[in-house]
Amino acid sequence: MAGTGRAALHDDAVLRVVDLVVEYPLDRKNVVHAVSGVTFDIQKGTTLGIVGESGCGKTTVGRAIMQLERPTSGSVELDGADVTQMTRRELRAARRSMQMIFQDPVSSLNPSRRVKDLVREGLEVWGLSEADMPPGRIDDLMASVGLGGPAVGERRPHEFSGGQCQRIRIARALVTDPEVLILDEPASALDVSVQAQILNLLEDLKEEFGLTMLFISHDLAVVRNVSDRVMVMYLGKVCEIAPNSSLFDQPTHPYTRALLASIPGHQLDLPPAAELISGEIPSPIDPPSGCRFRTRCPHATERCAAEEPTLVETSPGHFTACHYPHH
Amino acid sequence: MLLVARRLVRLTIVLLAVTFFTFFLLDRSPGDPAAALAGENATEEVIEQKRAELGLDRPLVERYVDWLGGAVQLDFGDSIVTAGLSSWDLIRESLPKTLELMILAELMAIAISVPLAMASATRPGGLVDRMASSTAFGLLALPSFVLGIYLAFVFGVHLGWFPTIVNRLPGLNDDPLENLRQMFLPSLTLALNLVAVYHRLLRSDLIETLQEDFVVLAQVRGLSDRRIMWRHVLRPSSLNFTTAVGLNVAGLIGGALIIEVLFSINGMGRLVIESVVLEDFNVVAAVVALLTVGYVTMNFVVDLLYSVLDPRIRHGAR
Amino acid sequence: MAPVDATAVLNDVGERAAVSPSADIASTGASQSTPPPRALGVTFWLAAGWIAVLLFVAVFADLLPVRDPDALGIRTREVEKFERPGWNAPFGGDGVGHDQFARVIAGTRPALIIGISVTLIGGLIGMAVGLASGYLRGKLDAVSALLIDMALAFPGLVLVIAVRAAFGNSIYVFVALFSVASVPAYARIVRGATLSLSERAFVDVAQAMGASKLRILWRELAPNIAVPALAFAFIGFALVIVAEGGLAFVGLSLDQITWGQLIADGTGEINEHPHVSLIPATVMFLTILSFNLVGDGIRSHFAPREVATRRRFRTEGPPSPSSGGSTLRVDQLRTTLHTQSGDVRVVDDVSFELDAGDCLAIVGESGSGKTMMLRSIVGAFALADVTRSGTVEVEGTDMLRIAPDELRSVLGSHIGMVPQNPLTALNPVRRIETQIIEPMRAHRSISKSQARAEALELMQHVGIPDPERRLRDYPHQLSGGMRQRITIAIALANQPKLLLADEPTTALDVTVQDQILRLLLGLQRDLEMAMILVTHDLAVVRGFADRVAIAYGGQLVESGTIERIFNDPKHRYTAALLSSVPDLELEPHSRLVTIEGQPPPLIDPSPGCRFAPRCPAATDLCHTTEPERTDDEDRWFRCHFPVTGDAEIETAGSRSTRPADAIRAETQGVN
């Protein structure tokens, strides 16, 4: 399971992450290997979905792109400029074109402030005021996310439901007119009917504002719905990265197959999950050598322990990091 | 083990800093023990000689290191005021009374507050809880000296059950009943302040634990309420309570000093106040060192207790 | 010199500061709104009034028509030595005939001057230090934590003595002294509150938006700290008054008349002339109480917390006649939670029956009452004031009307419950062994070693490797999946006839979810238990259950076999819900069907169909009349205008189902 392959990169990417490594020192001896050499990119106007179970490092990738966690090594290029090398001032400027939406909509909003101020803040951070924007910009934005109406801005976050809070968050992120939107489980805390509203809204906004999106989720069905390309992660590494349909129709990595087979009531042509995966996820403090999935993989051989697989193209645009990919 | 070692280092730093700062403050204060000892009409020369005798002419740090060397062997120097007695002699005489007061108060407080908090938490908003909680709120607003006066008035003056002044306190071994009778009001005064704090803290933690899934599930498993309270709820709820018991030692010392004055107990409080007034700095420094050691030790004990109470801390999972 | 109460009050305020105003009533899921700001009660206004009087007296002390506080009564003959309180001297006289009333009034000014200045100076410095070290952390935080530690360990008395000796005992020296001494306390609570706030997402969000650290401190954190800090300022004010009194008591206070001094002076006379000390003591007590009350009132007004209601379970109305036979019979069950915001009808007229070997899934969104339906069966309400009516029968026993002892016995021996979050469902401080054995020993007379042997067997049965070793572990030493296997083992400890699973896999990863659901279903079949599986996940229902019931607004709106419901939903809500879920079979970027509006309130629900306000097909009838239950072969629904054909809801019909039987066949041999 390696991220060491750069084969999957495009020339015309808006966001490019190369060999990203994030490690946290635990104490003097131990290090948590949260993300271990992840490489991918996103083309303009498309959505990349990242899926994986807890502990796979998908959230850390998002935070590291935003520089909320400083990467241990690797680069994050936004329109060709490496944000990991930027000065604080440059970084602040770069953040204007990258925005992130977090999972919990309620705790993402400062409870003591009015909605209008929260949305406007996105501007103020840049030393702009409403006057620098086309007139009615904030009202338009509020309407775009489905929160029209005069009195809405005067209220405080706790007066809104979870779905509405997420809409406020989205409006707030869009006010600086960002290029890239990183969404970390944006609908996971919401009920299905509300989740559908948010997912539809995101699709509309992507169209309207020409957004490039990184969509992080544990929910395969949601990722299936919103993504153009999908990347599967396991224990800090990339397993497979492929166009949406290709990944779901012909998964080649054993872990991807296990993940898909675990979806309750799926209609895919896969053996029972119990035959595809066993045991428990190893500790990120001391990850397995070679392929990180080998300890749970039914096909693992000695080669998997000795040699780390790199991403190879198995079909057009479909890359897998496995010595024995499924065909 | 590493954690314990780091704690110890930190506590030692606190200990050294506090004692040195005390030393420094005492040195800066305008009173001059040498002059006091030499008598009112002493010449400058005599005072100077006294000062040399006492070692006061040496630099501060040197004296501190010297003092520290003695202190670890419980040699805090002689009392400057009370001839022929060392500081340690004076402390040895008064320490047991203060300790008794503090321990009695702590025991009474725990004995009252734990069952009371459990009763409150079983039916929050019920009669017992409302009475206990408002009493606790009232007690929180009663400084120990005000509470002491009230108690002395009610139990001492009005009812006449207990003496309002501790007078020729017999040893706990010689006449335990009389000893406890005299110590009752001072201990109760100190204890009630603690009860207010403990009740409030333990009650809210118990209520929080009672709403935990594992408690609800224990109920669904058909276990009795009593068993649930004692076996499932009390221990996980007692972390903050333990902290309060441990950390309140500092407050307890302060409270004990005032109580001693109020009830005329010849304890450490009286000793330190008299020593300050008489500028007997060796004694003051010794008392401060002991108090700090006591506080710091309690801190350490609380840390150890944590890991006994909660296996997650023992295993470094939290 | 720190008064005894300081630490706990600090802890308390710090802990409360961490609880945001938006924390919801998590346990019931009944209400989505926060409790309204708690009204400031009579005691608050009385306390505020007392403070106002004190302020007035302190400002205008010189203009008030009272005697000179220093006038000696024994000379002027106006007040007698130890005069009892009366018209001449309301607070009586002391040993030299001072007018105590005048002296108490004279003591007001120093009390307030010291209190206000110390609170302002110490509070502001402490807040700044606390905010900075709590948010910026790093070295600054380490240093300030060490300093706070030392300050708390340092005997305040020594500080007072030394400073007093060096700088005299003017009021300025006292203000400076107390200000310095109170900084650690303020710094500590503000630091604690800041730490917990900075872990909340909005701080990350602000940082991600590019806000500078200073801006985050000032705009994001400070406003949220303001209320708890203000509340604590009142309490801190009271602490200053206490501290001054304590100093006066040991003879180290100001040179002027203070309340502490008056109390101290009078204690010697407590036996003969108690009024001399009792009256100033009471004035001080009332003042401290007032400041505490105001502080407490401010806190609970701005950051109201749902106060735990009393625990009270009641049953209303008669049971319906028993039909006997089934493992579980629920008939017209209604559950009402009595909360401060009103009566919440969490379960409203729910009926169903289960036989041995049946598996019913109850599915719904949050606030639909699905979990409460399950909890109402066993009466698992934690701290709540609950009324239930209707019938719940387990193996023919009326669960709502039997004596507590019998209820415990039925619960322990017939029912097993699998919780949502295995981490919180296991007691963190008890070993696995103790937790598995406990229900066995509570309800059966078996020896400890026998129970242990059974526990080992159970653990093997639920697929735990190396059970001998695991028995000695604590819950935190296991993975999430293992923990859930343990809770299943505990649920099975007494061979129950009914298994209640409340979102058993919501907290787990998808590959683990698959394992746990297969395990549960395998066990249910092998042991012929009746099972209820509560979930929000339609995919889980479709993959694993035989029958499903849809919960909405505290009611069950439709129920039937999986095939019928998923292929041909009749209730409008069911149909909409099914098509709002993204599904692997849908093409990428398909538009999902949404349900506009919000879930219905459970407090004072509208009279008609609960779904009417959100239903595109609703008519006047729907808004006024609750639909009756319509039976239709192997299912029933409650809808006036059921869905008639597939055309109406496009996506709903396009889905095929996977019969649960197929899964069942697959699960054989897995366990």
Side-chain angles (χ1 to χ4, degrees), chain C residues 412-535:
Chain C
S413 50
H414 288 335
I415 301 180
M417 192 153 177
V418 181
Q420 169 168 3
N421 185 342
L423 183 59
T424 58
L426 292 169
N427 192 326
V429 304
R430 307 180 86 205
R431 291 181 196 279
I432 301 296
E433 176 172 358
T434 331
Q435 304 199 45
I436 299 191
I437 287 179
E438 187 175 42
M440 296 180 185
R441 304 252 296 155
H443 297 286
R444 288 188 276 157
S445 48
I446 62 172
S447 72
K448 208 166 179 176
S449 58
Q450 211 178 336
R452 193 166 187 279
E454 274 194 36
L456 276 175
E457 204 176 308
L458 261 177
M459 285 174 75
Q460 261 155 2
H461 210 71
V462 298
I464 292 174
D466 199 1
E468 279 276 359
R469 208 185 89 211
R470 291 301 177 202
L471 274 184
R472 289 191 301 277
D473 278 350
Y474 288 96
H476 68 268
Q477 292 169 294
L478 306 176
S479 70
M482 284 300 148
R483 280 184 210 130
Q484 194 59 297
R485 288 174 195 265
I486 298 286
T487 66
I488 293 174
I490 298 175
L492 298 178
N494 288 328
Q495 291 107 37
K497 307 233 166 35
L498 174 64
L499 198 58
L500 305 176
D502 181 10
E503 303 251 17
T505 56
T506 305
L508 305 174
D509 272 322
V510 60
T511 54
V512 185
Q513 161 171 290
D514 180 77
Q515 296 164 9
I516 294 293
L517 285 174
R518 276 164 205 276
L519 172 68
L520 264 180
L521 267 100
L523 288 166
Q524 183 244 336
R525 190 195 52 235
D526 292 348
L527 304 174
E528 292 206 340
M529 292 180 288
M531 176 158 114
I532 302 181
L533 175 69
V534 165
T535 180

Side-chain angles (χ1 to χ4, degrees), chain C residues 28 30 34-35 70 99-100 180 193 267 287 292 294 323 363 395 423 458 477 501 572 593 605 607 651 653-654:
Chain C
T28 61
T34 51
D70 290 320
D99 181 357
Q100 285 288 86
V180 171
T267 45
T287 306
N292 284 355
V294 169
S323 56
V363 68
E395 294 277 305
L423 183 59
L458 261 177
Q477 292 169 294
R572 298 271 166 180
V593 173
T651 39
S654 68

